[in-house]
């Protein structure tokens, strides 16, 4: 078979959610961020596993993603839309009971006019300058808006993965200034913010990447395993080159395995000549360029050519691979290709 298999451990995702939940006080609710199709792992399976673990509130980027999560979960859990109430989304928000996090005065007006009485939250900009109502605008509308009962006031930290970055405390102070005295539920922390400690937890935390086994949640259980099938092996003589641009040349007689996955499957081209694949405990270096559908690996030192080699495994986690590629675990996850045979592991169900 020429299809690589991506194994997704749903029990590990559930365990990571519980572990992140335990890092805040029992009075603090722990939501789950499942945008971008559950960080590329399949939102429907991920949210059902998280709901079984006890998650009751979910965050997605867009109303369309919210619709997919609602379909997977049915009525009940609260599904929050981080991009807020975009024009054209009113019917979906209303029919599927989605909760937009309103980001601007324009969105606030749109929501209150189109769906008066429909639940919403407000996203405040405390210094990231990406999304959210800014301080002066908020001061102007807060007296009226707080009366209409937003379900939550939230903001997002720009540097939470760097505990000593001064922006963390500045954003915390701005969030207090904007929300103290409102009496409304508040949320500031994603995975990184949870690890910054209780001051950052407020009423609700919103972990994403930590659920899927990524930094900065170093204690996370590993979630993904990616195994690539060997589709051919060949002997390469000294002086012969392998792959595009003849980027690698054999110095000694070598046995090269061609594996079925490439940059079209999210194995970034920047891994060329740098990454390792693993046969159990034995590393095997990638040689030459990663191409669209294939990757070439030196297996000269193996006693026997295996049927598959692993690129994400106990020896090489998401973040290890991200470091080699010069990116972050988030990008490795959300780049995982559509061609993989996705296998979900779950003890219960
Ligand atoms: C993506 C996102 C999160 C989750 O962040 P992680 O770093 O993956 O935990 C939380 N809140 C907002 C607003 C986000 O955009």
């Amino acid at each position: 078979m020429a299809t690589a298999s991506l194994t997704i451990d749903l029990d590990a995702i559930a365990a990571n959610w519980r572990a992140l939940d335990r890092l805040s006080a029992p009075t603090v609710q722990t939501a789950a961020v499942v945008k971008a199709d559950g960080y590329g792992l399949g939102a429907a399976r991920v949210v059902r596993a998280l709901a079984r673990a006890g998650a009751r509130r979910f965050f997605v980027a867009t109303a369309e993603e919210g619709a997919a999560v609602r379909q997977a979960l049915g009525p009940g859990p609260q599904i929050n839309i981080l991009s807020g109430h975009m024009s054209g989304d009113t019917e979906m928000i209303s029919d599927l009971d989605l909760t937009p996090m309103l980001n601007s005065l324009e969105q606030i007006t749109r929501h209150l006019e189109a769906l008066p009485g429909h639940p919403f939250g407000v996203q405040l900009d405390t210094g990231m300058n990406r999304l959210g109502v800014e301080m002066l605008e908020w001061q102007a509308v807060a007296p009226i808006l707080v009366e209409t009962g937003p379900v939550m006031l939230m903001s997002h930290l720009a540097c939470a993965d760097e505990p000593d970055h001064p922006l963390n405390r500045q954003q915390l102070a701005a969030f207090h200034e904007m929300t103290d005295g409102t009496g409304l539920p508040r949320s500031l922390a994603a995975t990184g913010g949870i690890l910054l400690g209780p001051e950052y937890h407020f009423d609700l935390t919103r972990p994403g990447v930590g659920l899927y086994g990524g930094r900065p949640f170093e204690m996370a259980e590993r979630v993904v395993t990616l195994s690539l099938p060997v589709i051919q092996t060949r002997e390469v003589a000294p002086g012969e080159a392998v792959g595009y641009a003849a980027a690698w040349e054999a110095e000694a007689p070598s046995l090269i395995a061609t594996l079925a996955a490439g940059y079209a499957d999210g194995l970034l081209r920047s891994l060329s000549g740098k990454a390792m694949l693993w046969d159990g405990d034995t590393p095997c270096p990638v040689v030459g360029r990663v191409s669209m559908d294939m990757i070439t690996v030196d297996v000269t030192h193996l006693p026997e050519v295996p049927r598959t080699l692993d690129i994400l495994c106990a020896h090489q986690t998401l973040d290890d691979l991200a470091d080699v590629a010069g990116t972050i675990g988030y990008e490795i996850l959300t780049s995982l290709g559509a061609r993989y045979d996705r296998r979900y592991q779950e003890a219960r169900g």
Side-chain angles (χ1 to χ4, degrees):
M1 187 162 96
T3 301
S5 65
L6 178 68
T7 306
I8 297 155
D9 186 342
L10 294 172
D11 291 330
I13 294 177
N16 290 336
W17 183 83
R18 284 191 217 97
L20 287 160
D21 184 41
R22 282 194 299 271
L23 291 179
S24 58
T27 50
V28 177
Q29 199 180 4
T30 302
V33 180
V34 296
K35 60 196 182 191
D37 196 25
Y39 286 48
L41 299 184
R45 296 298 300 263
V46 167
V47 296
R48 282 192 225 118
L50 287 167
R52 276 194 288 274
R56 290 290 168 269
R57 291 171 85 152
F58 297 86
F59 285 82
V60 291
T62 65
E64 286 78 5
E65 289 180 355
V69 171
R70 177 63 75 209
Q71 192 175 16
L73 291 178
Q78 188 185 96
I79 300 170
N80 299 296
I81 313 298
L82 290 167
S83 59
H85 190 149
M86 298 293 287
S87 98
D89 286 351
T90 300
E91 208 173 285
M92 214 176 341
I93 288 170
S94 158
D95 293 354
L96 299 174
D97 187 21
L98 307 177
T99 308
M101 300 289 115
L102 306 178
N103 290 306
S104 64
L105 298 184
E106 186 193 358
Q107 286 203 349
I108 290 168
T109 308
R110 176 182 297 133
H111 186 77
L112 295 180
E113 282 178 358
L115 296 175
H118 184 94
F120 67 95
V122 181
Q123 190 162 184
L124 302 169
D125 180 19
T126 53
M128 189 167 182
N129 285 307
R130 182 180 70 169
L131 209 57
V133 179
E134 294 195 9
M135 183 78 84
L136 288 177
E137 296 172 327
W138 176 242
Q139 282 165 347
V141 294
I144 314 147
L145 203 60
V146 166
E147 292 301 305
T148 64
V151 298
M152 183 188 351
L153 301 179
M154 62 166 281
S155 188
H156 193 46
L157 297 168
C159 305
D161 56 343
E162 290 180 63
D164 298 328
H165 199 291
L167 193 53
N168 292 323
R169 299 215 71 83
Q170 287 168 30
Q171 289 196 261
L172 179 64
F175 193 55
H176 274 294
E177 189 181 341
M178 293 171 94
T179 61
D180 280 355
T182 58
L184 296 171
R186 298 185 279 186
S187 175
L188 181 61
T191 304
I194 294 174
L195 301 170
L196 291 178
E199 276 180 296
Y200 288 84
H201 295 169
F202 293 90
D203 302 294
L204 179 96
T205 61
R206 312 183 306 269
V209 76
L211 304 173
Y212 311 102
R215 277 205 294 257
F217 187 38
E218 305 284 355
M219 283 144 58
E221 283 187 28
R222 193 168 58 84
V223 170
V224 286
T225 304
L226 179 56
S227 301
L228 314 185
V230 175
I231 52 177
Q232 204 173 82
T233 51
R234 70 187 55 245
E235 287 170 7
V236 178
E240 286 190 309
V242 172
Y244 281 120
W248 182 86
E249 204 175 277
E251 288 172 3
S254 303
L255 187 64
I256 301 299
T258 302
L259 313 189
Y263 60 74
D265 305 289
L267 301 181
L268 306 179
R269 196 163 166 279
S270 56
L271 295 169
S272 297
K274 290 197 266 180
M276 290 289 169
L277 278 86
W278 292 82
D279 174 33
D281 296 330
T282 309
C284 306
V286 169
V287 297
R289 296 275 163 87
V290 174
S291 52
M292 187 182 291
D293 316 305
M294 280 169 274
I295 193 165
T296 39
V297 176
D298 188 348
V299 294
T300 312
H301 55 301
L302 298 183
E304 196 177 329
V305 179
R307 287 185 26 242
T308 62
L309 290 169
D310 297 336
I311 189 158
L312 290 171
C313 57
H315 291 293
Q316 185 163 262
T317 64
L318 212 51
D319 289 300
D320 296 333
L321 193 66
D323 288 344
V324 176
T327 181
I328 53 176
Y330 298 75
E331 191 178 29
I332 297 288
L333 275 176
T334 55
S335 302
L336 290 169
R339 287 194 288 199
Y340 296 134
D341 172 24
R342 280 154 202 265
R343 300 172 185 186
Y344 292 92
Q345 275 179 349
E346 191 172 29
R348 293 174 300 160

